[in-house]
Amino acid sequence: MAVETLITLLEHTQVFRYVNIASIALLYYDYCLTLSSEVDVIWPSKWNLIKILFVLVRYTPFFDSAVLFYHHFAPHVSPESCFKAYTANGWLFYAGGALAEMWTATAIIIAKFITSLGFAVALYPGFRGCMVLQGSSLLSVVWILLMVFNGGRMGVTSDLLKIVYRDGITYYFYLFGATSLAMP
């Protein structure tokens, strides 16, 4: 592997880590900001489908973040362990998206993306986490589809739903950009 390629790969790995850690920090920040409302409104309510979906959507990202920390910072991770961690992240991402959007068209894209990944063993002593050597840019299609899907629902008349959809589209646009920048 050429030195320039190695440097670029390490830079992309670091950007990917920064984006993920920033996202996890925002997750915990949002959780802290909204916990009191959740305790007041959600916790005392009766269990029903909406409450179950809320709890699943609310708490699956915490499992996802634990796997992210593993594949970013675990010492001496084998390519097989990296593949398992990225597979778990992919399916947790899919499950959270399917629950939140009630839309499962991304499953094929996630599966193809996961199978396109290739990992390297630690490139230098002390390197932590997984080193992605290859991967399809197909994952960016998920963000585009979600933006189009949410954008298609902008014809709603409720002001609250307009804000939710607008913010959702902005969120997916941000994630698309961050993912595109972090792709090796």
Side-chain angles (χ1 to χ4, degrees):
M1 181 180 303
V3 174
E4 296 83 21
T5 305
L6 178 61
I7 290 171
T8 302
L9 189 61
L10 290 171
E11 286 172 348
H12 286 197
T13 299
Q14 197 61 30
V15 168
F16 187 61
R17 286 178 179 173
Y18 289 155
V19 168
N20 278 313
I21 298 305
S23 297
I24 292 168
L26 287 173
L27 170 72
Y28 281 88
Y29 178 67
D30 175 70
Y31 180 78
C32 291
L33 289 177
T34 58
L35 181 61
S36 63
S37 296
E38 179 184 335
V39 169
D40 293 342
V41 176
I42 303 296
W43 290 12
S45 68
K46 292 174 112 177
W47 282 96
N48 57 31
L49 179 62
I50 299 301
K51 185 173 180 176
I52 291 168
L53 287 173
F54 174 83
V55 169
L56 289 172
V57 169
R58 175 81 162 167
Y59 292 100
T60 54
F62 293 100
F63 295 109
D64 197 19
S65 65
V67 178
L68 278 171
F69 272 111
Y70 170 77
H71 73 66
H72 282 316
F73 301 110
H76 316 293
V77 183
S78 71
E80 294 79 23
S81 295
C82 289
F83 183 78
K84 288 176 184 175
Y86 271 78
T87 300
N89 267 131
W91 291 115
L92 283 167
F93 166 79
Y94 166 72
L99 288 168
E101 296 288 334
M102 293 302 200
W103 185 59
T104 59
T106 60
I108 295 168
I109 296 170
I110 297 285
K112 287 184 182 256
F113 173 74
I114 290 170
T115 59
S116 75
L117 293 172
F119 302 94
V121 273
L123 296 174
Y124 58 86
F127 179 83
R128 292 184 170 268
C130 298
M131 175 62 71
V132 179
L133 286 180
Q134 65 185 26
S136 170
S137 61
L138 189 62
L139 191 61
S140 58
V141 172
V142 172
W143 304 123
I144 294 168
L145 290 174
L146 289 171
M147 285 188 289
V148 169
F149 180 72
N150 279 331
R153 297 194 286 179
M154 288 301 284
V156 296
T157 56
S158 165
D159 289 336
L160 176 61
L161 284 178
K162 285 181 184 177
I163 291 168
V164 169
Y165 291 139
R166 183 203 64 212
D167 291 351
I169 290 169
T170 304
Y171 171 72
Y172 288 123
F173 184 72
Y174 162 76
L175 286 177
F176 170 69
T179 302
S180 297
L181 287 174
M183 284 286 185

